[in-house]
């Protein structure tokens, strides 16, 4: 049975939000002919310009019913008033399930479809999203989230992860695995999207603490207390902690842990040193402490990430 799938775009959409899932469903169709009937749709139809200027041709929003409706994201979602036609349509169009890529979650939320639902969106939009839609149960670190018949995904390339999960749900794990192999991507990407946030890596919103971050990376094996970091920044501990949090959006302790996780993950996935040695090398000291940090950040212990990297 062919599953009718409507992928919705709009002026200013992110082209990979559409192209990534399209590629997944196209290749799934090769392995399971008749699995999907995909249509690209937009309010009014016709040529639609992406944020890059590249255009895609879409049909007008259809009456359904659809098996799946998927909304792309992109810069165009910053002007939600211009997307009212999609918001109104997605709320009422008959569909077995609804999904969004990246900031496409804004349209689901505007339609009230995320009230009381677990969801995610691009890490760079999570603070704004949480303020606008307090009824949604935002999980900012997830690559994708399924809550019943509502599926949402994190930023841009996570649309591929979401589409693979939909294929697995529809056609089975073997087809999803073969599609992922053809695309040369993980069938199930390890970890959450916080690992991709550049805020702390850049030293904050203005780069005020960039030099300090570089120094921290070079001294991860040493004690990095607030007092020591404040001294390095020529500030009092209290003022430093307040300024650092305002600049980076996180506490000094969490920033230290994230930098240690960054270094530890690289060692775990590319090196051969024992896990206990890696824990000492990057400053965790206790391997159990590092394991708990990995579970919080990546959802898997170091040993699992090493096995996946070697596989």
């Amino acid at each position: 049975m062919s599953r009718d799938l409507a992928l919705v775009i709009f002026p200013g959409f992110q082209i990979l939000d559409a192209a990534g899932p399209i590629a997944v469903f196209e290749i799934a169709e090769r392995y399971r002919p008749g699995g999907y009937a995909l249509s690209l749709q937009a309010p009014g139809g016709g040529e639609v310009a992406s944020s890059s200027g590249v255009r895609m041709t879409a049909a007008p929003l259809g009456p359904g019913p659809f098996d799946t409706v998927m909304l792309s994201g992109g810069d165009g979602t910053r002007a939600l008033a211009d997307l009212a036609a999609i918001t109104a349509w997605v709320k009422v169009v008959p569909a077995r399930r609804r999904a969004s890529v990246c900031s496409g979650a804004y349209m689901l939320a505007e339609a009230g479809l995320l009230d009381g639902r677990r969801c995610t969106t691009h890490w760079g939009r999570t603070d704004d999203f949480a303020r606008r839609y307090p009824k949604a149960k935002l999980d900012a670190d997830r690559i994708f989230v399924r809550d019943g018949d509502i599926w949402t995904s994190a930023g841009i390339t996570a649309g591929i992860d979401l589409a693979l999960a939909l294929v697995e749900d529809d056609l089975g794990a073997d087809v999803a695995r073969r599609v992922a192999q053809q695309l040369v991507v993980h069938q199930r990407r390890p970890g959450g999207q916080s690992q991709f946030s550049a805020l702390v890596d850049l030293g904050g919103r203005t780069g005020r603490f960039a030099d300090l971050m570089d120094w921290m990376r070079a001294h991860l094996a040493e004690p990095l207390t607030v007092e020591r970091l404040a001294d390095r920044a020529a500030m009092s501990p209290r003022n430093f902690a307040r300024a650092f949090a305002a600049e980076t959006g996180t506490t000094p302790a969490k920033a230290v842990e994230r930098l240690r996780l960054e270094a530890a993950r690289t060692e775990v996935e590319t090196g051969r040193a024992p896990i206990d040695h890696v824990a000492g090398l990057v400053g965790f000291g206790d391997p159990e402490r590092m394991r708990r940090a990995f579970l919080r950040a990546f959802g898997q212990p170091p040993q699992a990430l090493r096995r996946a990297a070697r596989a």
Side-chain angles (χ1 to χ4, degrees):
M1 179 187 69
S2 183
R3 297 165 179 79
D4 290 324
L5 193 155
L7 179 57
V8 181
I9 59 175
F10 48 85
F13 74 100
Q14 164 56 242
I15 196 163
L16 191 55
D17 283 6
I22 286 171
V24 170
F25 295 118
E26 172 204 349
I27 295 171
E29 179 72 12
R30 295 183 200 171
Y31 293 124
R32 190 68 60 84
Y36 294 102
L38 176 66
S39 62
L40 193 64
Q41 302 190 12
E47 286 195 354
V48 182
S50 68
S51 56
S52 68
V54 174
R55 295 172 177 268
M56 300 182 80
T57 302
L61 296 175
F66 297 104
D67 176 80
T68 306
V69 170
M70 181 180 288
L71 308 181
S72 61
D75 285 345
T77 58
R78 297 182 186 279
L80 284 168
D82 296 338
L83 304 179
I86 297 176
T87 301
W89 174 83
V90 75
K91 186 174 184 178
V92 300
V93 66
R96 179 172 69 92
R97 62 189 174 192
R98 290 164 172 78
S100 65
V101 181
C102 193
S103 57
Y106 276 73
M107 289 178 282
L108 293 179
E110 279 286 306
L113 296 173
L114 298 184
D115 290 356
R117 300 268 198 154
R118 293 171 53 249
C119 61
T120 193
T121 190
H122 191 288
W123 64 263
R125 304 283 293 275
T126 53
D127 288 347
D128 177 67
F129 186 93
R131 284 193 299 270
R132 290 193 188 204
Y133 308 111
K135 293 182 181 180
K137 298 179 179 178
L138 182 67
D139 190 339
D141 189 46
R142 295 289 296 277
I143 295 294
F144 71 88
V145 172
R146 176 185 185 178
D147 189 328
D149 59 354
I150 300 289
W151 302 61
T152 54
S153 67
I156 310 179
T157 60
I160 296 174
D161 301 83
L162 173 63
L164 285 169
L166 293 173
V167 169
E168 180 172 349
D169 192 56
D170 294 337
L171 306 179
D174 183 62
V175 173
R177 176 182 56 80
R178 294 169 71 187
V179 173
Q181 289 174 332
Q182 186 69 21
L183 290 170
V184 197
V185 299
H186 289 289
Q187 182 181 347
R188 297 183 185 88
R189 197 186 327 188
Q193 66 168 332
S194 64
Q195 62 188 297
F196 303 104
S197 170
L199 187 59
V200 170
D201 293 339
L202 293 175
R205 294 179 173 84
T206 66
R208 176 181 180 183
F209 294 109
D211 290 343
L212 178 63
M213 290 291 179
D214 290 340
W215 180 86
M216 290 161 65
R217 286 191 184 91
H219 297 80
L220 288 177
E222 303 171 15
L224 295 177
T225 63
V226 170
E227 289 75 18
R228 189 177 183 196
L229 297 178
D231 183 67
R232 184 74 188 180
M235 301 172 68
S236 72
R238 183 177 179 180
N239 286 338
F240 168 74
R242 183 167 54 242
F244 188 91
E247 178 72 9
T248 67
T250 191
T251 65
K254 289 182 178 179
V256 169
E257 180 175 89
R258 188 177 299 185
L259 294 178
R260 284 177 170 151
L261 282 167
E262 173 189 272
R265 181 169 185 166
T266 299
E267 289 290 334
V268 165
E269 292 184 332
T270 65
R272 295 188 175 275
I275 299 298
D276 291 5
H277 179 73
V278 173
L281 185 68
V282 302
F284 279 111
D286 180 6
E288 176 59 23
R289 180 183 168 201
M290 187 173 83
R291 188 187 74 84
R292 292 195 300 268
F294 265 64
L295 288 172
R296 286 195 302 272
F298 309 129
Q300 300 182 67
Q303 294 86 346
L305 291 180
R306 174 163 281 180
R307 286 194 297 268
R310 289 177 176 176

